[in-house]
Amino acid sequence: MHELLLRRLSQYIELSSEERNGITKLCSSIPRYVGARRLLIDEGEELYSIPYLLRGWACSYKVLEDGRCQILSFFLPGDLWDFGAPAGSRMATALRTIKDSILIDIPRDDFADLVARHPRLGEAFRWSGMVTDEISRERIVSLGQRTSRERCAHMICEIFWRLRAIGEVDGSSMELPLTQEEVGHTIGVSTVHANRVLQDLRNDNLIRQFRKGLQILDLAKLQRLAIFNPNFLHLQTKSAALRAPVKRPGVGAPLLLGQDGNVLRMSNVAV
Amino acid sequence: MHELLLRRLSQYIELSSEERNGITKLCSSIPRYVGARRLLIDEGEELYSIPYLLRGWACSYKVLEDGRCQILSFFLPGDLWDFGAPAGSRMATALRTIKDSILIDIPRDDFADLVARHPRLGEAFRWSGMVTDEISRERIVSLGQRTSRERCAHMICEIFWRLRAIGEVDGSSMELPLTQEEVGHTIGVSTVHANRVLQDLRNDNLIRQFRKGLQILDLAKLQRLAIFNPNFLHLQTKSAALRAPVKRPGVGAPLLLGQDGNVLRMSNVAV
DNA sequence: CGGTCCCTTGACAGCCGTCAACTACCGTGG
DNA sequence: CCACGGTAGTTGACGGCTGTCAAGGGACCG
């Protein structure tokens, strides 16, 4: 029932049997079955427990006063929701299911206790959290810099690699239970435009869509289009963490080199 | 030299003198003076220390292969950079100064030791980290849903409130050392368009700009335009954490209510 | 069979990126 | 003092991207 979590943590540390038992006990609550498109936690609600998704899909989102809605992240099987938040904090986003799902509520205190007793588990969770953070940073880059085609391709790649990591892709096909409205809310375009972008990708023979699924016809080309670096999900082990520093062309570099000295005029500063 | 950090942590917990001393010792390294627009840490570099900004401005950013650049967050006086990252992790973004700055490098191990010895400090840091996270979530919402005018207004409001919290605004005026190119890289528009958006805000008498500064002429109107909720920076105390749950109109609600029962068809699921 | 979601399409207008040229300002050096 | 060069800000023209509106079509479910 909690193999996904064990598998994930094993990517970062070797789990002792005590640690395994701790996780097992943590996940011993009775699973809840929740239908598609149901609110799990509303924005501003206090978090009494950490939702742990066993099956299904969910997403976090924010709704502006006038109804505009932005999906911030997907919540896939094996994911723990925001385990790093301090006790007593409130949800900064709402959380809802996308399709029929099964989840467990892990008491926050039990989680804190376990991590306190096993600091290495805490370490592993923090490594796991870095992946989540990196996904959200990459979403900022997408929304700020990538074209809508690229954003859509990037979203597909992200989901593909994440589902692959938990054994939920079949060759090049995967489930994609998102409506085009949800795709739009994710990549920051209207529903109509989400439709056009998806059609575009289909017409270019990059993807194929069926019922509630999607097949990637040319992963390499899709990733190139998305400027997608699969490494960013590969914080699998400490040694392989992120990619090596790379010098890049473009705006950043010359900007930073065209300056004199490292010491600034003291007249402007005081400690 | 480290009053800003002490002040920030005091928002979340009452600091004991031991904890104060710990922080003081943590900040006892010799400050570095760094000129404007200089690279502090490149993407992919290993983090040996936690940069702590005493004065000046910096930002984190990512550069795509073709040179497109997205600024992810601003780094203002009193900010600690990414203190939550596990030891040995690599920078997911690059970090550079925006103007002449002074910073301290806090050894990661010392930080970890201190937090381990004083769990309440760890708690306070995590509350502080939530503010950072919320800013980055709000940036996703901005880039995905707000118009460029709204995004620009939102950026100004965010900076205004953050500078105000550290006593760096004078009435309604503040420093704004960003070039229009940097504004563009922040709100996801071209430099030319950043210029047009700023002109727009000036023409509507919302802001006034001078040399390297900005005056907000009508904060209420600017915040309304930005759909800006100052509460999101107000995680000052646990009790005031975030805003209370609010029912909203729009897309979210009806979507989630139009479903039957809470239990899904068992045929689709298995534990 | 009717209703509800969801997907699709076309028309149109407005937002925004790009290109190119020009201006203003500053600090430097002659 | 002025000339100069570099950076940053500004403008106009143009085309492509994208939102909106409105209408239609198809799949599924009761």
Side-chain angles (χ1 to χ4, degrees), chain B residues 216-258:
Chain B
I216 295 179
L217 298 177
D218 190 336
L219 181 60
K221 209 189 274 183
L222 192 68
Q223 290 184 164
R224 222 173 310 124
L225 167 63
I227 318 180
F228 178 85
N229 187 337
N231 277 348
F232 91 91
L233 298 171
H234 275 194
L235 299 160
Q236 314 274 16
T237 61
K238 293 191 180 190
S239 54
L242 281 174
R243 60 180 171 288
V246 171
K247 292 290 159 240
R248 281 185 210 74
V251 199
L255 179 71
L256 293 168
L257 298 174

Side-chain angles (χ1 to χ4, degrees), chain B residues 155-184:
Chain B
M155 182 198 76
I156 292 168
C157 291
E158 177 206 315
I159 292 172
F160 178 76
W161 284 89
R162 288 177 65 186
L163 288 181
R164 223 171 77 113
I166 55 174
E168 290 210 2
V169 308
D170 173 18
S172 57
S173 296
M174 65 184 181
E175 196 188 355
L176 191 76
L178 302 175
T179 64
Q180 294 184 348
E181 184 181 32
E182 287 164 334
V183 171

Side-chain angles (χ1 to χ4, degrees), chain B residues 115-154:
Chain B
V115 168
R117 275 204 314 280
H118 300 284
R120 290 173 67 252
L121 277 182
E123 179 88 349
F125 274 112
R126 266 187 300 151
W127 278 93
S128 162
M130 281 191 70
V131 180
T132 311
D133 290 348
E134 180 59 12
I135 291 172
S136 114
R137 274 188 291 263
E138 204 56 55
R139 187 141 308 179
I140 294 179
V141 175
S142 272
L143 291 167
Q145 300 300 323
R146 285 186 247 256
T147 65
S148 59
R149 252 172 79 91
E150 293 167 347
R151 289 202 290 273
C152 188
H154 198 275

Side-chain angles (χ1 to χ4, degrees), chain A residues 15-70:
Chain A
L15 292 169
S16 71
S17 61
E18 259 189 38
E19 287 162 344
R20 279 176 179 275
N21 290 341
I23 295 289
T24 303
K25 210 161 147 196
L26 202 62
C27 301
S28 59
S29 347
I30 297 168
R32 281 196 293 148
Y33 299 76
V34 181
R37 283 167 215 202
R38 297 200 65 83
L39 185 63
L40 292 173
I41 317 178
D42 204 354
E43 183 176 347
E45 262 184 56
E46 278 183 23
L47 281 176
Y48 295 110
S49 57
I50 303 171
Y52 167 35
L53 191 65
L54 294 178
R55 289 179 152 268
W57 284 47
C59 67
S60 69
Y61 64 99
K62 278 186 174 245
V63 182
L64 295 181
E65 293 156 10
D66 60 3
R68 280 177 278 178
C69 170
Q70 176 67 38

Side-chain angles (χ1 to χ4, degrees), chain A residues 18 36 38 71 106 109 121 130 140-141 165 213 221 225 260 263:
Chain A
E18 259 189 38
R38 297 200 65 83
I71 291 179
I106 297 177
D109 293 342
L121 277 182
M130 281 190 70
I140 294 180
V141 175
K221 209 188 274 182
L225 167 64
D260 54 356
V263 179

Side-chain angles (χ1 to χ4, degrees), chain A residues 62-234:
Chain A
K62 278 186 174 245
V63 182
L64 295 181
E65 293 156 10
D66 60 3
R68 280 177 278 178
C69 170
Q70 176 67 38
I71 291 179
L72 291 144
S73 62
F74 294 115
F75 190 36
L76 302 180
D79 288 342
L80 278 190
W81 179 254
D82 209 9
F83 49 80
S89 63
R90 290 169 181 277
M91 286 289 289
T93 65
L95 192 65
R96 69 166 174 88
T97 55
I98 286 172
K99 56 167 293 202
D100 298 345
S101 301
I102 305 177
L103 48 94
I104 285 179
D105 298 300
I106 297 177
R108 296 215 146 241
D109 293 342
D110 294 358
F111 181 84
D113 288 348
L114 179 69
V115 168
R117 274 202 315 280
H118 301 284
R120 292 173 66 250
L121 277 182
E123 179 87 351
F125 274 112
R126 268 188 299 152
W127 278 92
S128 162
M130 281 190 70
V131 180
T132 312
D133 290 349
E134 180 58 12
I135 290 172
S136 116
R137 276 188 289 264
E138 203 55 56
R139 186 140 309 179
I140 294 180
V141 175
S142 272
L143 290 167
Q145 299 301 323
R146 285 187 248 256
T147 66
S148 59
R149 251 172 80 92
E150 293 168 346
R151 290 201 291 274
C152 188
H154 199 275
M155 182 197 77
I156 292 168
C157 291
E158 178 207 315
I159 293 173
F160 178 77
W161 283 89
R162 288 177 65 188
L163 289 180
R164 222 171 78 113
I166 55 174
E168 290 209 1
V169 308
D170 173 18
S172 58
S173 296
M174 64 184 183
E175 196 188 355
L176 192 76
L178 302 174
T179 64
Q180 294 185 348
E181 184 181 33
E182 287 164 334
V183 171
H185 290 169
T186 305
I187 65 174
V189 298
S190 66
T191 307
V192 173
H193 201 64
N195 176 289
R196 292 194 271 243
V197 170
L198 282 167
Q199 273 183 68
D200 242 39
L201 296 181
R202 288 198 301 258
N203 289 336
D204 290 353
N205 288 317
L206 292 168
I207 60 171
R208 212 169 61 81
Q209 285 186 280
F210 43 94
R211 180 109 188 72
K212 285 273 167 190
L214 182 145
Q215 181 182 7
I216 296 179
L217 297 176
D218 191 336
L219 181 61
K221 209 188 274 182
L222 192 68
Q223 290 184 164
R224 223 173 310 124
L225 167 64
I227 317 179
F228 178 85
N229 186 337
N231 277 349
F232 90 92
L233 299 170
H234 275 194

